[in-house]
Amino acid sequence: MRFAHTNIVSTKWKELVNFYIQTFNCMIVPPIRNQSGEWLEKGTGLKNAKLQGVHLLLPGYGEKGPTLEIYQYEEIEHNDAVPPNKRGYGHIAFEVRNVYETLATLQENGGSAYGEVTIKDIEGVGELTFIYAKDPEGNLIELQSWK
C-alpha cells in the first residue's frame, strides 16, 4: 500500500495549476484529464459528472511520488472559506528551505498569508518555523522549515 494523491476541486484549474508549479516547483504528470461518462458518475456518486484537470508531481519524491490532483468539475458547489480548526481535511504542508522566501513567492503568485510566521523550539525535535497560508482559491497550505 502507498499514498497516491490529494485532490483539490478548483474553480479555475489552469490558474491553480500554474500557482503550484510556480510556487512549489510541481510538475505536470500527463495526460491532461478531460473525463465524463457513466464510469465517473458511478465512482463519484455525481449525476452528469464532467471534469477537467491534471495531476502535479509533488517535489522531493522523484518521478513515482505522490501527486496533487487539481480538477474542475463542470458543476461546482461553492462553500465558505474553511478555517484551520474546521473538522475534516485541514491543509496540505510543504517543507521548504526558507519559510519567508517561499511565503513571498506564494504571495507574488496570488496566494496570501493566513497566520504569522512563527518560530518554536520543539524539545527533542528541533526548531520549527511555520505559517499557514492560502492558495489563490483559499485552500490552506502550511509552509514549514526545521533546523
Side-chain angles (χ1 to χ4, degrees):
M1 185 181 314
R2 70 183 182 104
F3 181 77
H5 70 264
T6 297
N7 172 265
I8 296 177
V9 175
S10 172
T11 57
K12 296 178 181 173
W13 75 269
K14 290 179 182 176
E15 291 177 22
L16 197 58
V17 164
N18 285 333
F19 169 83
Y20 280 93
I21 289 171
Q22 294 170 356
T23 305
F24 298 107
N25 299 316
C26 295
M27 295 179 7
I28 292 176
V29 178
I32 303 295
R33 275 52 170 202
N34 190 1
Q35 301 171 338
S36 64
E38 184 179 346
W39 69 274
L40 187 61
E41 292 176 26
K42 288 172 90 171
T44 62
L46 296 172
K47 189 173 177 130
N48 300 317
K50 294 178 184 173
L51 61 82
Q52 291 183 326
V54 71
H55 280 253
L56 296 175
L57 186 62
L58 293 166
Y61 294 94
E63 294 178 14
K64 301 277 186 197
T67 61
L68 180 60
E69 176 185 72
I70 298 179
Y71 281 173
Q72 180 174 340
Y73 283 83
E74 188 173 86
E75 292 183 30
I76 293 181
E77 290 192 27
H78 295 276
N79 59 344
D80 295 329
V82 178
N85 63 343
K86 187 86 168 186
R87 188 198 63 75
Y89 294 107
H91 67 271
I92 59 174
F94 288 89
E95 188 171 337
V96 300
R97 189 167 290 142
N98 185 303
V99 169
Y100 295 97
E101 289 176 6
T102 304
L103 178 61
T105 300
L106 178 142
Q107 291 171 316
E108 289 168 11
N109 292 325
S112 60
Y114 188 83
E116 297 177 30
V117 176
T118 303
I119 300 172
K120 171 72 174 161
D121 185 49
I122 310 293
E123 189 174 331
V125 180
E127 183 182 270
L128 169 66
T129 302
F130 85 105
I131 185 172
Y132 279 18
K134 291 182 178 184
D135 71 19
E137 292 200 14
N139 300 296
L140 289 171
I141 301 168
E142 180 182 352
L143 305 177
Q144 61 174 246
S145 179
W146 289 91
K147 288 186 185 177

